[in-house]
Amino acid sequence: MTGSTSASGADTGVRETDAAAGDAGVREAAVATIQRELTAFARRARAAAARMHPELSLVSFTLLAHLEDSGGCRATDLATYYLLDKSTVSRQVAALERAGHVERRSDPADHRIQLLHLTAQGEQVLAQAADRRSQAFHARLSDWDPAELSRFAAYLTRYNDEAADPA
Amino acid sequence: MTGSTSASGADTGVRETDAAAGDAGVREAAVATIQRELTAFARRARAAAARMHPELSLVSFTLLAHLEDSGGCRATDLATYYLLDKSTVSRQVAALERAGHVERRSDPADHRIQLLHLTAQGEQVLAQAADRRSQAFHARLSDWDPAELSRFAAYLTRYNDEAADPA
DNA sequence: GAAAAGTAGTTGTAGAGTACATCTATCAAG
DNA sequence: CTTGATAGATGTACTCTACAACTACTTTTC
């Protein structure tokens, strides 16, 4: 609904004639749409996750997923990556440990550091939630063709990487 | 960092030779990347908003923006759109009203309904926050060309519209 | 090599956002 | 007029979060 106005302006077939005049407007409209749609997605993500996998909140899921992706990292890394305060991460990690999903390993070279790892149980719970998420995403994207999916994926990756860099 | 592995697989230049064999894999990888990147964005959005415009949380911002976009709507509409409980919206709206950002208008035809509208002050605060957001988005997207932006915007719109439909 | 500065993480405290259950008020059928 | 649906508010309780202050350890500096 909300998106239709700007979306039509952000159509794939961009008028290439007199590009100089149109570019600024096209850019403006497209950025506005990107902003609006990304924000709407973000706003829904928490609730959507709660419905998809009630046993693992969006927060817990992302932290566990990051641990799996990274093959173990420190609490500080999580805080940096997700723009969270370290106290928040500390509590989240404590809860995940209490639940038996993660394990701490001390670094003998630096006693301040605790490397966080998934436990077998954590891996299993994560896999289950990831599966539900994956199904939901595949369902939503079922009528996209592979080339579109690849481009969309590349755009998102590029966007996030650029957001991480200059901040 | 985390994204680099899958991102390379989701490159724009898709191998078109022996497409039948590659399609499933390409699709799988692309969907996984889309899921991961969208989720990462969602996880950062709240904190990013708090830094960009501390005077207006991500929640408040999205609700006000929706009111502006829609030109006034009911609390229930907000709840539906953002997958929120009506009690949550009720409290959020009450806070926004207390802050002088929104106004309620009773519908003479149906006394249960309250149409929510931005006040002049609400419009102003929203505009200010939107401006900061817009700047940040433009900065992150500054080296994208208009065609890419348009495609990205169209993809996001399509994704969100499809998410809204079948759920 | 001791003092100063920096880093990793925890804990106290407090506030925002949220859901679920329950309530009121209103409307719509039958 | 009763029954059922809808819009919204309130009671309650929990999670997520930040900021400030703390401990413990490491690195730098003079």
Side-chain angles (χ1 to χ4, degrees):
Chain A
M1 302 263 146
T2 324
S4 51
T5 314
S6 311
S8 62
D11 212 6
T12 314
V14 184
R15 277 183 248 87
E16 300 293 345
T17 356
D18 70 314
D23 266 19
V26 168
R27 169 174 291 277
E28 188 64 40
V31 171
T33 300
I34 290 165
Q35 180 186 334
R36 180 165 35 69
E37 298 299 323
L38 276 177
T39 305
F41 174 83
R43 253 341 243 95
R44 294 196 195 108
R46 177 184 298 239
R51 296 176 187 205
M52 253 184 295
H53 41 77
E55 77 286 359
L56 212 58
S57 75
L58 180 64
V59 178
S60 304
F61 174 81
T62 51
L63 296 187
L64 293 186
H66 196 91
L67 285 184
E68 182 165 73
D69 272 16
S70 66
C73 70
R74 301 170 306 165
T76 297
D77 301 330
L78 297 174
T80 303
Y81 190 74
Y82 291 113
L83 299 178
L84 292 169
D85 193 80
K86 54 189 179 151
S87 68
T88 301
V89 175
S90 174
R91 284 179 231 270
Q92 290 295 334
V93 168
L96 289 173
E97 188 188 26
R98 226 176 298 125
H101 295 155
V102 309
E103 224 175 37
R104 308 164 118 104
R105 272 180 223 169
S106 299
D107 179 348
D110 187 338
H111 286 217
R112 293 171 302 181
I113 291 175
Q114 305 177 342
L115 274 215
L116 304 172
H117 285 270
L118 289 180
T119 61
Q121 189 215 314
E123 277 173 17
Q124 193 214 314
V125 169
L126 173 62
Q128 194 181 333
D131 207 60
R132 296 233 194 100
R133 291 179 76 80
S134 181
Q135 278 174 22
F137 274 82
H138 270 98
R140 274 185 198 72
L141 296 166
S142 58
D143 58 348
W144 293 47
D145 70 49
E148 292 175 319
L149 288 176
S150 293
R151 263 201 303 269
F152 190 27
Y155 287 158
L156 285 169
T157 302
R158 181 176 170 195
Y159 178 83
N160 275 343
D161 286 356
E162 278 176 291
D165 252 0
Chain B
M1 299 265 139
T2 324
S4 50
T5 315
S6 312
S8 62
D11 212 6
T12 315
V14 183
R15 277 183 247 88
E16 300 293 344
T17 355
D18 69 315
D23 266 19
V26 168
R27 170 175 290 276
E28 187 65 39
V31 171
T33 301
I34 290 165
Q35 180 185 333
R36 180 167 33 70
E37 298 299 323
L38 275 176
T39 305
F41 174 83
R43 251 344 241 92
R44 294 195 196 108
R46 177 184 299 240
R51 296 177 187 204
M52 253 184 293
H53 41 77
E55 77 285 359
L56 210 59
S57 75
L58 180 65
V59 178
S60 304
F61 174 81
T62 52
L63 297 187
L64 293 186
H66 196 90
L67 285 184
E68 181 164 75
D69 272 17
S70 66
C73 69
R74 302 169 304 163
T76 298
D77 301 331
L78 296 173
T80 303
Y81 191 75
Y82 291 114
L83 299 178
L84 291 169
D85 192 80
K86 53 188 180 151
S87 67
T88 301
V89 174
S90 174
R91 282 179 232 272
Q92 290 296 334
V93 168
L96 289 173
E97 189 188 25
R98 227 177 297 125
H101 294 156
V102 309
E103 225 176 36
R104 309 162 118 105
R105 271 181 224 168
S106 299
D107 180 347
D110 187 338
H111 287 217
R112 294 171 302 181
I113 291 175
Q114 303 177 341
L115 274 216
L116 304 173
H117 285 269
L118 289 180
T119 61
Q121 190 214 313
E123 276 171 17
Q124 193 215 313
V125 170
L126 173 62
Q128 194 181 332
D131 208 61
R132 296 232 194 100
R133 290 180 77 80
S134 182
Q135 279 174 21
F137 274 82
H138 269 99
R140 274 186 198 71
L141 295 167
S142 59
D143 58 349
W144 293 46
D145 70 48
E148 291 175 318
L149 288 176
S150 294
R151 263 201 302 268
F152 190 27
Y155 286 159
L156 285 168
T157 302
R158 180 175 171 194
Y159 178 83
N160 276 342
D161 285 356
E162 278 176 293
D165 251 3

